[in-house]
């Protein structure tokens, strides 16, 4: 234990090599699978994983874990937005301890009325493991149709031509990705069940799920009553010993905690990419992991990347060099990867000509069409004893459902078991606020103190249950990421701006799924003879276009045709020899489920391709 | 609705008591006095000495993480100036300066009863000798280590000490023979005419920003906002202590709100017997009316301050006791009694029952 700790610490401090064969920028879902694959297969390739944020460790690496079961770590103390020129300057800002400080590294969201706001929604997490340190771990595969939505909608009269022109089939099929889904599930460590998933001919690699939380029975009964077939939501949390990452589970009880979504896991059971993929290779001779260091410029010559410029952990500029035949992988999560490409284009005209040949870089930025339904039951449960979700259902992926409801694309439904399980999360998410407005509902509900506060706990603590859907969002060319002309970050570099608006077809998807979600809850409540009022909706109401569900997708989409894509089918930038982008940016459509497992599976696929060329 | 003038029967209201250096200690209760002296003064602090403190090795990854977060240069000189309030102060240039020195998790032995406190100093230029001195070292200077990063020495100096929970200390850096306060850390106090940097460890129960009169008064307000009560006892949930702590570091920018608004509220309420009902009436007026004695020139929204009080009070009720509130886990025990919330199950020993999780 102690020894391992020392090895890891010194590894992070040792001298860098003069050249690397592979440099991976970003250590999350898109980056880590590449490092893991190459390190496992090629002991002669020098690999550098570069990460902007810190290394935060779980107990197995360091007994004093940098994470805790502590509500103040998920949403900390208040700060004020101090950025000049945004309309929410002076507003409160809350974030987790591993999200960047948006005063120093802002993202700007432009809403429908052209107002600019600083937002935390466009970040996942800034640390080794990226978003997978904070994620809920819902690890769904996309359905076969999700890969071919253009073909699926040709000949149907659901979308008009204009809309359809911006929808592109993926250059790979579900079958192409299937072996990599299997590999990802195996190496990452996921629990769940396979039966009743609408993914034909599939092998799944799941550990056994924990017993479902009793409150989830409402959802199960709702499914049954409507004739829907549920499966246990695949979750990236190990429930048994996990051989590929040498993690052990002492008792199942300790795994079963509500401190999953928005928390780093001090116990290391949550399968973030540090514990599952990077730590197992971290002490290999040919692997360096450089934390707290950010890339800001890619250097190229004649379309061959030669290296990059970074700010190191002390804020000093360094040059990193690629060996001849080396490869650069960019996986900073979509907004930041697009930004890095744009910053590089700003410094180098040839880079710009190559990356911007079709003017598509930054376009087709997407998240998901998402929302759900919520109820308050007249029974109380201790929701702190549960993982993020128990039951999921693929009805929304079936041909029949899509035809009956005239939907252009489908999605997955799953319940949220642990949300608002803890007292502070119940209060600060009151009235269902997003990341930019935590505590706002509590403040607006200004009589919530004294006796009413007691009543609130009586009614709401341990009684709330919600169910969500995650469905495809229409890709639109004007939904895009670009550089701000004036606002700069702490390194004096232009920050990223994004625009994202819903399409009519998104509203239809959200309405249909929200109604189904509410039916499920209502039926479940009825079956169990509970009482509860159900509310539902998509996220498009109000000025909430910036809500991203932490799913940052598109901007550098891949495809067969260099005229309408930024990356080739192997996620290599067209017109570059050795520049790959493997985070969520590559997706031309957002998929009918949470994206991370697909990002990981695709990275394993790209890694196989890269290994062959090294 | 303005605060009504009716007199209500006196009620027992729990109240904080200063228990220096005690760990998650239970608190006894008092009657809120009709009125008491209002003092603008700072709280008096009695610093701990070096009993039970030991030097320990520093986790270099933690140092790097801290530097990146808080000490790397920024092109945004006023990003953390609280809208210019700290203009000219180096602290306006760094994020989360309040987290210096770092009050980290202590060495893991059972029971877990201490923090590892890591001090860090960034020197301008080269070849410095840097020492730490202060109450944790019995005013004996101890040398700080120089950072080695990617094969080269860098002008960052650090040292870590293991210090029991619930303590408060003063310290300075001695740089090339000259002693200076920690330029980046938030809390500073004058002791015998000299300025010192100050830090406290987890669950410290003494006052740092509010004086005793303010704290006593705030306690009665907080109990009206959060009327939680454990069965058969009258323990103080420690929210006021939480507020005192958060105002010294993370939300230092809100201290001014308290310093302006508490005296106005006190003026309005000290005229009569202070009861929970009367305070509730006043809070009601802050929520939706015109509270007595409110000087709108000085603070234009009583509701805004009420919201701040509300958020801070509930955070102080239910955040982990290391933040200074939820004293002796009273908040979580309350939820256990009322609603069967099984907090011990996910909480580290010796407070909870989870043996595999070290806090
Ligand atoms: C609270 C929360 C809950 C979530 N729940 C789920 C869920 O249940 N299921 C699901 O599928 N997804 C979930 N997600 C989303 C998931 O985290 C992301 O989809 C996933 O992490 C994206 O992978 P990525 O590779 O694109 O980016 P990331 O995993 O975020 O990795 C990007 C990394 O690059 C680093 N980086 C950025 N810029 C630079 C630079 N210039 N130089 C060096 N490094 C850089 C970042 O610091 C980061 O570590 C959740 C996210 C959050 C925040």
């Amino acid at each position: 234990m102690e020894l391992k700790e020392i090895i890891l610490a010194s590894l992070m401090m040792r001298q860098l090599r003069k050249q690397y064969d592979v440099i991976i920028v970003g250590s999350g879902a898109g980056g880590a699978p590449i490092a893991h694959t190459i390190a496992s297969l090629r002991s002669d390739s020098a690999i550098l994983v570069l990460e902007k944020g810190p290394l935060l460790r779980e107990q197995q690496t360091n007994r004093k874990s940098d994470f805790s079961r502590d509500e103040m770590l998920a949403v900390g103390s208040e700060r004020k937005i101090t950025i000049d020129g945004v309309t929410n300057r002076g507003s409160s800002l809350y974030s987790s301890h591993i999200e960047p400080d948006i005063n120093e590294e802002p993202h700007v969201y432009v809403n429908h009325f052209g107002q600019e706001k600083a937002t935390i929604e466009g970040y996942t997490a800034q640390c080794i493991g990226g978003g997978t340190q904070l994620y809920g771990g819902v690890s769904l595969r996309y359905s076969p149709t999700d890969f071919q939505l253009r073909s699926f909608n040709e000949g149907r009269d659901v979308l008009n031509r204009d809309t359809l022109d911006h929808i592109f089939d993926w250059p790979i099929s579900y079958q192409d990705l299937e072996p990599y889904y299997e590999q990802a599930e195996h190496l990452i460590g996921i629990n769940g069940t396979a039966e009743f998933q609408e993914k034909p001919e599939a092998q799944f690699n799941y550990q056994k799920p924990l017993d479902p939380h009793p409150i989830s029975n409402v959802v199960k009964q709702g499914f049954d009553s409507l004739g829907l077939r549920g499966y246990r939501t695949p979750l990236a949390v190990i429930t048994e010993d996990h051989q590929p990452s040498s993690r052990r589970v002492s008792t199942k009880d300790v795994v079963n905690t509500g401190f999953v979504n928005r928390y780093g896991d001090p116990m290391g059971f949550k399968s973030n990419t540090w514990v599952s993929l990077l730590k197992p290779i971290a002490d290999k001779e040919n692997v360096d992991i450089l934390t707290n260091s950010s890339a800001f410029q890619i250097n190229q010559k004649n379309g061959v990347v030669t290296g990059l410029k970074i700010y190191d952990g002390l804020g000093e500029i360094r040059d990193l060099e690629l060996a001849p035949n080396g490869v650069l992988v960019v996986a900073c999560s979509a907004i930041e990867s697009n930004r890095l490409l744009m910053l590089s284009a700003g410094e180098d005209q040839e880079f710009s000509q190559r990356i911007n040949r079709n003017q598509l870089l930054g376009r087709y930025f997407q998240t998901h069409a998402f929302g759900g339904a919520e109820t308050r039951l007249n029974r109380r449960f201790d929701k702190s004893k549960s993982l993020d979700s128990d039951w999921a259902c693929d009805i929304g992926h079936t041909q029949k459902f899509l035809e009956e409801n005239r939907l252009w694309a489908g999605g997955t439904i799953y319940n949220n078991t642990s949300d608002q399980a803890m007292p502070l999360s119940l209060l600060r998410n009151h009235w269902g606020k997003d990341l930019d407005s935590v505590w706002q509902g509590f403040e607006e509900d200004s009589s919530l103190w004294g006796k009413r506060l007691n009543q609130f706990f009586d009614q709401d603590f341990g009684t709330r249950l919600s169910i969500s859907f995650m469905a495809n969002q229409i890709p639109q060319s004007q939904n895009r990421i670009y550089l701000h002309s004036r606002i700069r970050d702490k390194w004096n570099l232009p920050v990223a701006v994004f625009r994202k608006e819903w399409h009519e077809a998104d509203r239809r998807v959200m309405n249909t799924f929200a109604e189904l979600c509410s039916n499920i809850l209502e039926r479940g409540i009825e079956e169990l003879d509970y009482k509860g009022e159900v509310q539902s909706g998509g996220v498009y109401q109000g000025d909430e276009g910036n809500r991203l569900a932490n799913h940052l997708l598109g901007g550098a989409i891949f495809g067969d045709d260099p005229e309408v894509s930024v990356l080739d089918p192997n996620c290599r930038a067209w017109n570059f020899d050795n520049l790959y982008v493997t985070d969520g940016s590559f997706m031309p459509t957002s998929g009918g489920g949470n994206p991370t497992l697909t990002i990981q599976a695709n990275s394993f696929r790209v890694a196989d391709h890269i290994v062959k060329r090294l | 609705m303005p605060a009504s003038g009716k007199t209500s029967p006196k009620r027992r209201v729990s109240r904080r008591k200063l228990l220096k250096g005690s760990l998650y200690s239970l608190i006894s209760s008092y009657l809120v006095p009709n009125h008491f002296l209002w003092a603008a003064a700072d709280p008096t602090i009695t610093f701990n000495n070096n009993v039970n403190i030991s030097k320990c090795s520093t986790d270099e990854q933690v140092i790097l993480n801290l530097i990146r977060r808080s000490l790397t240069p920024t092109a945004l000189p006023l990003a953390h100036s609280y809208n210019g309030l700290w203009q000219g102060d180096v602290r306006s240039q760094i994020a989360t300066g309040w987290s210096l020195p770092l009050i980290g998790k202590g060495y893991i032995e059972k029971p877990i009863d201490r923090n590892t406190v890591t001090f860090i100093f960034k020197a301008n230029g080269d070849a410095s000798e840097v020492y730490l001195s202060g109450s944790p070292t019995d005013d004996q200077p101890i040398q700080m280590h120089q950072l080695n990063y990617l094969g080269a020495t860098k002008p960052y100096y650090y040292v870590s000490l293991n210090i029991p929970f619930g303590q408060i200390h003063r310290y300075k850096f001695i740089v090339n023979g000259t002693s200076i306060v920690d330029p980046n850390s938030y809390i500073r106090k004058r002791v015998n005419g000299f300025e010192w940097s100050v830090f406290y460890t987890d669950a410290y129960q003494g006052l740092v920003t509010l004086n005793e009169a303010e704290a006593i008064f705030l306690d009665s307000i907080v109990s009206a906002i959060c009327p939680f009560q454990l069965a058969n006892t009258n323990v103080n949930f420690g929210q006021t202590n939480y507020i005192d702590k958060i105002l010294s570091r993370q939300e230092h920018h809100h201290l001014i709100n308290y310093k302006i608004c508490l005296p106005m509220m006190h003026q309005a309420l000290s005229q009569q017997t202070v009861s929970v009902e009367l305070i509730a009436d006043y809070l009601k007026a802050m929520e939706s009316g015109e509270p007595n004695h409110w000087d709108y020139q000085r603070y234009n929204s009583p509701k805004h301050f009420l919201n701040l009080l509300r958020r801070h009070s509930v955070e102080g009720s239910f955040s982990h006791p290391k933040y200074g509130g939820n004293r002796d886990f009273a908040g979580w025990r309350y939820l256990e009694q009322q609603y069967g919330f099984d907090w011990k199950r996910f909480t580290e020993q010796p407070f909870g029952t989870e043996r595999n999780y070290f806090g």
Side-chain angles (χ1 to χ4, degrees), chain A residues 229-240:
Chain A
R229 294 181 303 183
Y231 56 93
R232 294 299 307 285
T233 315
L235 294 173
V237 176
I238 56 167
T239 55
E240 6 183 298

Side-chain angles (χ1 to χ4, degrees), chain A residues 29-30 51-52 124 127 130-131 135-138 261 295 333 550 583-584 594 596:
Chain A
E51 170 53 52
K52 193 173 193 174
T124 44
C127 59
Y135 76 159
V138 173
N261 196 0
S333 97
N550 304 113
D583 55 34
N594 309 46
T596 307

